[in-house]
Each structure stands twice: as structure tokens, then as C-alpha cells.
Amino acid sequence: MLDGLMAQVERIVILTGAGISAESGIDTFRDAGGLWEQHRVEDVATPEGFARNPDLVLAFYDMRRAALADVAPNPAHRALARLEREFPGEVLLVTQNVDDLHERGGSANVLHMHGALKSALCTACETRSPWLESLGARPPCPVCQAPSLRPDVVWFGEMPYEMARIYRALESCDLFVSIGTSGAVYPAAGFVAEARSNGARCLELNLEPSEGSRLFHETRLGPASVVVPAWVEEVLSRAED
Ligand code: OAD
């Protein structure tokens, strides 16, 4: 699919999901043994669950934030950082992941549409602050001092971040690539249709076909740590032609 195409590609939008971090040791959501088998979505990923039992929710995200200290970026994260550095056009990375492995892998142009574990959101003044510690003890907001911080993670029923910027990028990209996401959660699951209707070529890299797989021009199956570096190598070698 990329034959003869890369010479014309100037803008790439890449969407990543939990599958890209799986080989780093972070559980995905919907695979066997995934997070949504271990916890009820309604309890830990909705505003209603937080209102019902804030201690449980704060502990869940404190645990996930602390676990970031024990994981490291894998070759797929590093390959995307290399693509951003070496591709002569634009590369925008949109991630549904709340981990920081893209940044630690070297990517700079990353939009966290579902928020970030290392950030806290104040429900009193709505400021988002970088956050590395536990939220369980109700620390004060660094801006307004209210003890009203919550995880800066987008829950079901809430609006993901950066949507205007993402849709603008989907309108103008030549190539849309989806990596390690099941295509089960909107609006991210709708990005392929959006990009395709705007004329972009669409490529899926995943362990197994996602729910929207038929919308992609091509699907390459395999672990992200293998298929992503191989694809990046191919893109960069063709961009030189
Ligand atoms: P899912 O758990 O739904 O899907 C993970 C995808 O990664 C599946 O398609 C797997 O086949 C694939 N996968 C697993 N291991 C892989 C590997 N080693 N290499 C490549 N692919 C692999 O995770 P997401 O699609 O990211 O939202 O989930 C989307 C959203 O649902 C999350 O951001 C989260 C969740 O509920 C919120 O919490 C708002």
C-alpha cells in the first residue's frame, strides 16, 4: 500500500491505544485479564462512580500512576519518536493512553485525548496540574488550594481533550495510522472513517483486527514492538526515495 505513496505523504496522524503499551507491561482494557475484567467501568471510570466512592477511584488511579515507575517504553514507542524526528513532513501522535511512555520514548508532539495519569484536575478551579504523587490524601490544588483534585483522566460520559485540533488534523492528513486499539470507544473509534472520508489512506497495526478493521485500506497484524518499527523503517526509507 505504501508503494509510490510515501513520496506524496506530508501529514501523518497516528492514533494509539493500550496495545502499544502492552509489551511494556501495562494491562490493556478489553483483552483477557484486562483492566475491565478486574474492575467495573461504572465504578472507576465514570463521574458517577467517583461521586459514589471517591476513595476507591483515587486508589485505582494512584495504583496505576505508581505502576508507571516499573515500566519502560518499548520499541514501538521509540519507533514513533524516531518517525517524528526523521520524517520530513508532519507527524501528530494522538493517544488514548494515560501512561507517559510516548514521552519517555522520545515523542514530543503527543495529544493525550483521554488525559494523563501524571496530571491532576481541580474540580473547584478546573486547572490541570502536573501531578506525580498520590491523590488519596486529598492534597490541596496547587492553584486554588481547594482539596478538590481528581485524576485528570477522561471518564465515560465526559468530553475527550483536544477534539477540535484532532479533527482539524484528520481533515488535512494524507495518512492515518491506528495502532493497538480495539476501536470500541468513540470518538477515537470514528477517526478512521473521518480520515478516510477526507481522502487519507488508512493503515491499521494491531495484534488482531479491530472492530472497525474493514474501514482501513490495509491491516498488518502482529505485536506492536515488531510491526511498528518495521512500518516506520519502511516509511522513512520510502520518504528518502
Ligand atoms: P483495548 O483494551 O480496548 O484494546 C487493546 C487493543 O490492543 C486490542 O485491539 C488488542 O488486540 C491490541 N493489542 C494487545 N496487545 C497488543 C500488542 N502487543 N501489540 C499490538 N496490539 C496489541 O484498549 P483501547 O482500544 O486503548 O478509555 O481502549 C480504548 C479506551 O477504552 C481506553 O482509552 C480507555 C478504555 O475504556 C477510558 O478509560 C476513557
Side-chain angles (χ1 to χ4, degrees), residues 16-24 26-31 34-36 41 44-45 61 64 74 76 95-98 113-114 153-158 160 179-186 188 204-211 222-228:
T16 64
I20 197 165
S21 296
E23 289 161 88
S24 292
I26 299 182
D27 286 341
T28 62
F29 296 94
R30 294 174 184 77
D31 294 311
L35 275 180
W36 294 158
V41 174
V44 296
Y61 291 94
R64 292 179 64 198
N74 67 54
T95 187
Q96 298 166 90
N97 298 344
V98 292
M113 63 178 289
H114 288 169
V153 165
V154 176
W155 288 327
F156 286 92
E158 297 181 326
I179 303 174
T181 176
S182 60
V185 176
Y186 283 82
E204 168 167 59
L205 307 175
N206 210 7
L207 202 53
E208 52 196 35
S210 66
E211 290 185 20
S225 67
V226 175
V227 293
V228 177

Side-chain angles (χ1 to χ4, degrees), residues 51-101:
R52 260 197 317 274
N53 192 344
D55 288 340
L56 174 85
V57 176
L58 294 173
F60 175 70
Y61 291 94
D62 279 351
M63 179 191 74
R64 292 179 64 198
R65 187 183 315 99
L68 293 181
D70 302 325
V71 298
N74 67 54
H77 299 102
R78 287 196 292 275
L80 294 184
R82 177 182 171 217
L83 182 70
E84 183 185 304
R85 274 194 312 273
E86 297 181 20
F87 184 66
E90 279 173 34
V91 178
L92 176 65
L93 191 49
V94 178
T95 187
Q96 298 166 90
N97 298 344
V98 292
D99 66 54
D100 61 349
L101 294 182

Side-chain angles (χ1 to χ4, degrees), residues 15-234:
L15 172 70
T16 64
I20 197 165
S21 296
E23 289 161 88
S24 292
I26 299 182
D27 286 341
T28 62
F29 296 94
R30 294 174 184 77
D31 294 311
L35 275 180
W36 294 158
E37 267 184 18
Q38 304 166 42
H39 305 269
R40 280 161 40 101
V41 174
E42 311 81 54
D43 289 342
V44 296
T46 62
E48 296 77 17
F50 185 53
R52 260 197 317 274
N53 192 344
D55 288 340
L56 174 85
V57 176
L58 294 173
F60 175 70
Y61 291 94
D62 279 351
M63 179 191 74
R64 292 179 64 198
R65 187 183 315 99
L68 293 181
D70 302 325
V71 298
N74 67 54
H77 299 102
R78 287 196 292 275
L80 294 184
R82 177 182 171 217
L83 182 70
E84 183 185 304
R85 274 194 312 273
E86 297 181 20
F87 184 66
E90 279 173 34
V91 178
L92 176 65
L93 191 49
V94 178
T95 187
Q96 298 166 90
N97 298 344
V98 292
D99 66 54
D100 61 349
L101 294 182
H102 282 307
E103 287 84 352
R104 283 159 62 193
S107 291
N109 203 10
V110 188
L111 299 183
H112 281 270
M113 63 178 289
H114 288 169
L117 286 169
K118 290 188 175 174
S119 179
L121 172 66
C122 179
T123 58
C125 73
E126 296 186 1
T127 305
R128 305 173 70 192
S129 303
W131 201 265
L132 303 178
E133 311 299 326
S134 158
L135 288 172
R138 309 292 200 283
C141 167
V143 174
C144 75
Q145 311 307 320
S148 309
L149 295 175
R150 58 161 267 190
D152 189 12
V153 165
V154 176
W155 288 327
F156 286 92
E158 297 181 326
M159 178 64 80
Y161 290 120
E162 304 279 9
M163 293 311 295
R165 212 167 136 197
I166 294 168
Y167 279 113
R168 271 201 309 278
L170 291 171
E171 265 170 32
S172 61
C173 69
D174 318 289
L175 181 61
F176 172 75
V177 186
S178 169
I179 303 174
T181 176
S182 60
V185 176
Y186 283 82
F191 290 174
V192 56
E194 185 71 23
R196 188 167 176 148
S197 71
N198 289 318
R201 301 291 295 174
C202 298
L203 169 67
E204 168 167 59
L205 307 175
N206 210 7
L207 202 53
E208 52 196 35
S210 66
E211 290 185 20
S213 209
R214 69 187 189 291
L215 293 170
F216 291 86
H217 295 98
E218 185 184 345
T219 294
R220 297 183 186 180
L221 300 181
S225 67
V226 175
V227 293
V228 177
W231 170 70
V232 167
E233 183 62 43
E234 187 181 327

